Amino acid sequence: MKKILALFAFFFFAFASAQDPKDPDFDVKDRLYKKYKNEVRSYDRKDFDDLMMAFFEKQSEESPTLTKEEYYTYTVKIAIYSEKYGLLYKKEKEVAQKTKNEWLARMYSDYMASRPKKD
């Protein structure tokens, strides 16, 4: 029983530390994480490569600006795949967790600030 409780506590704190409730967009990210978690965990490498390619193409200067929902859908899906990678490859768990946290820490406001200003 203690092992189960300890395991539950570990996963709770691991997820809680990955997403900062002080983040103004925490609710959006959390909702998207819950929505896409199972879908993304079934991705293979090709699906992930397609996701990354689409994300970087949509960030190009010629592309229309992503909405907050679209932007966070991409970043959260990439974070979930990073988490999956850490679960599959135990030696890479620490790197995968760091990568997941970096993707979840991305802010839509930073993305908007990086977009070219329209005259």
Side-chain angles (χ1 to χ4, degrees):
M1 181 67 181
K2 287 182 181 180
K3 288 182 180 182
I4 293 172
L5 187 57
L7 186 62
F8 176 74
F10 170 76
F11 284 117
F12 174 77
F13 288 117
F15 180 72
S17 67
Q19 293 188 336
D20 183 3
K22 296 175 195 158
D23 178 349
D25 297 325
F26 173 80
D27 292 335
V28 175
K29 293 177 185 179
D30 187 51
R31 178 177 49 80
L32 291 170
Y33 183 91
K34 290 173 183 173
K35 179 178 180 180
Y36 291 111
K37 183 178 178 181
N38 291 331
E39 174 187 326
V40 174
R41 285 200 173 166
S42 69
Y43 280 12
D44 61 16
R45 182 65 188 193
K46 183 183 179 324
D47 294 326
F48 178 70
D49 289 344
D50 292 345
L51 174 69
M52 289 294 286
M53 182 65 73
F55 179 63
F56 288 116
E57 284 176 358
K58 293 203 179 211
Q59 285 193 87
S60 72
E61 290 184 13
E62 299 81 37
S63 296
T65 302
L66 293 169
T67 65
K68 184 182 282 192
E69 185 88 8
E70 291 170 327
Y71 179 78
Y72 284 135
T73 296
Y74 281 108
T75 60
V76 167
K77 282 182 172 184
I78 294 167
I80 295 168
Y81 190 83
S82 298
E83 178 181 58
K84 173 189 172 179
Y85 189 82
L87 294 171
L88 291 173
Y89 304 101
K90 301 295 182 193
K91 291 180 181 178
E92 300 295 324
K93 186 175 185 172
E94 190 174 311
V95 173
Q97 185 64 36
K98 181 181 177 206
T99 303
K100 173 189 170 185
N101 292 343
E102 288 172 358
W103 281 99
L104 289 176
R106 289 189 174 216
M107 300 296 295
Y108 185 71
S109 57
D110 294 338
Y111 163 71
M112 290 301 292
S114 72
R115 299 292 296 169
K117 304 291 185 247
K118 294 184 179 179
D119 295 326

